[in-house]
Amino acid sequence: EYEIYYSTFEDDSFKKFHHRMQTFLIFFIDGASFVEESEFWHFFVLWQKQIGSNGKPNYTFIGYTSMYSFYHAFDHCRRRISQVLILPSFQRKGLGKELVKLAFSKAIEDVDCFEITVEDASLEFQHLRDVIDLESILELGVFDYFLEKSKNLSANFVNSFLTSTKENNHIKKKLKIIDNQISRVKELIVFALINEFDISNLNEVFEDIVKRRLRRLNNEEFEPFRNKKFPYIVFDEEVEIIDAKKVYKSLNELESSLFYKTSSTKASRIL
């Protein structure tokens, strides 16, 4: 039997427990860091409940997920999943999915929550998120009209389905999912149908739509920098602005060294 408890930093006893609990992050999540105590954090802690020989319950810590509330507008907020941890001995049992689903459902119930996002999702968590959102959207029934014609799909119908946004407002209102995630779920549905019914003639259409979405997403991310008259480079998805004058000055100071020759070659490619 498993139980999930909701806590915030307003609970002094949870504060003390959180200091010990977050230590697990360092051991099991790459690049994880401790969070500062704030009223905007929400925690969902998962426990395994077992009845001991004395008839009293014993609780074993399994994992937790944290959400942070960002101000949006008009007294609304965005809930962002920050950390999800399930201890290794309890993984691959569907517990992480149930934990995240509960966190999502609580955010959906919050009338002040505008949308739910995820902070730097790993590939594993993105897969989990896709599954949860896919199941939730299918339960709404908004794509039933598309599934009913799954055996007789045409290229135009698939293209219209993937590019249409007419259902997005309804989905966002009910589930508070962002537009890009809705597009991912649509692509998952089409991909599954293409594989299930071996509709190979739609592969090219599907690939083109996915490429278009990814290209649009990247353009939106870097558009502010493309309009500027300065060079930039990307390190680990972080955009760093290059001060060309400082680069050239440094290269001139190192003109006589072997390092200068190597640096100037690399700098010419960057600039």
Side-chain angles (χ1 to χ4, degrees), residues 163-191:
T163 57
S164 172
T165 60
K166 64 180 181 180
E167 302 94 353
N168 286 22
N169 287 336
H170 178 66
I171 295 173
K172 289 163 69 175
K173 183 178 180 180
K174 292 291 185 180
L175 303 177
K176 303 180 180 179
I177 300 175
I178 60 176
D179 286 320
N180 188 56
Q181 186 63 16
I182 296 174
S183 296
R184 285 180 62 91
V185 170
K186 285 184 173 183
E187 291 164 9
L188 286 172
I189 293 173
V190 174
F191 184 69

Side-chain angles (χ1 to χ4, degrees), residues 259-270:
F259 178 74
Y260 162 71
K261 296 178 182 179
T262 304
S263 299
S264 62
T265 303
K266 292 183 178 179
S268 64
R269 294 175 183 172
I270 294 173

Side-chain angles (χ1 to χ4, degrees), residues 121-136:
S122 63
L123 291 176
E124 292 80 5
F125 183 80
Q126 184 61 56
H127 173 70
L128 174 62
R129 183 188 184 191
D130 289 340
V131 171
I132 293 174
D133 289 341
L134 175 62
E135 291 178 350
S136 299

Side-chain angles (χ1 to χ4, degrees), residues 42 53 75 87 101 115 118 121 144 154 156 194 224 237 251:
H42 308 264
S53 56
D75 295 327
L87 296 182
K101 281 179 65 176
E115 66 181 11
V118 177
D144 286 351
S154 64
N156 289 336
I194 289 175
E237 299 182 356
L251 293 178

Side-chain angles (χ1 to χ4, degrees), residues 216-229:
R216 183 177 66 253
L217 181 64
N218 291 330
N219 286 340
E220 291 173 355
E221 183 174 355
F222 295 111
E223 187 61 31
F225 298 93
R226 288 197 173 92
N227 293 332
K228 303 296 181 181
K229 299 300 181 181

